[in-house]
Amino acid sequence: MTKQPKNSIKIRVRNKMLSLVLPRVYCGKLKTFALGIIDSSENRQFAEYKARQIEIDLMSGHFDPSLAKYKPAKIAPVVDLPSMTFSEIYQAYIENRKNLVSPATWKSTYINTLNHLSECPYKHTHEALKLKDWALTNRTIDATKRILMQLNAACNWAVERNLIESNPFLGKTQIKSKKSKPKIHPFSNAEKVAILDAFAESEKFVYLLPLIKFFFFTGCRTSEALGLRWKNVKTDCSAISFEEVVVLGKGGAQRKTGTKQSPQRDFPCNQQLQDLLRSIRPAKAIANASVFVRPNTSPISHQNLRTAWYGKGRELGIVRQLAAEGIIDSYRPQYNTRHTMISACLEAGINPIQIAQWVGNSAEIIFKNYAGIISKISVPEF
């Protein structure tokens, strides 16, 4: 028999009546909560459901220590399953999946969705469209999509277990976003110069200047630059091989082999990039040492880069400050250095297929995302 987890609620039968035994963590002392229903297979399912509801409420901060919230109706002791609220359906669903997801997913997706449902005034399955409209009005498009996707999955699960008759969200989860996909907004040459000059003049962040130049020169992803080691750079700095990335995971930064699109990608260095790499290459470069490091020789991190570029708290980062002062058109994230390099190559008339190979994308993505720039290229004289 599987051992019950610590602090789990137990079901007790006394005089053919069902009750729940709550550990001290709930009410400060061992508490027996009489459900007022006789022992039957159907009522035991209800008791198990109530136990799970109380456990989830405690974890999500919605526990009612008076226990009034959990008392069944005085009449009809057997729960009317088709009248379950969205919160009750979802609570049962996520409890069933608790051991299948990570703690991060449990908190960021499951508990957050549960909190949204608790605030929504529309609780019952016949109010599915009203819930959807409420979410569209009171939550972001992305949050609404997550809520509907989660409820759709929960209701499908409930239908399979005969907890509800049908899924009220079937065919109702699609949302037509009013906002079109943001257009590619590369930095202009003047903005690029302004950004590089600002890093060069920053006493605090000047050490990041070679990395910022590298982003503009290669159009590589942030994770690829931070994962680059000297063993990946040819001795004469004529070529680079992107073979590893540094990404943020549950335990912090993690080094992984391969890139987003392929195990390895070669990048030819022009004279400008060769000069940059030679200027920062140590006299005795250690093969496994990171190319881009801080003054203390520790690798540059995602956080170092974000703090310098965007800022921290009320303190504006370099690029955010340039935008605030009107020196650049608007604030854009560091990833837009990638858009800038790709756009420059397209405007120079370089074959999109070649560009895709350099930056680790498919030609299809280049055509799709940069169609506006490609269309501006003049037809050559024949």
Side-chain angles (χ1 to χ4, degrees), residues 228-232 255 282 285-293 297 299:
L228 191 66
R229 299 200 264 199
W230 284 114
K231 68 178 182 180
N232 306 127
R255 181 175 288 274
I286 300 173
N288 285 327
S290 295
V291 172
F292 299 104
V293 296
T297 71

Side-chain angles (χ1 to χ4, degrees), residues 169-202:
F169 290 99
L170 200 62
K172 297 183 177 69
T173 58
Q174 294 298 318
I175 296 175
K176 292 182 179 180
S177 178
K178 295 180 181 179
K179 297 181 180 179
S180 59
K181 185 178 179 181
K183 293 182 179 179
I184 298 296
H185 192 180
F187 294 104
S188 67
N189 284 333
E191 288 178 319
K192 182 165 67 173
V193 170
I195 291 170
L196 293 176
D197 285 347
F199 272 95
E201 295 166 6
S202 170

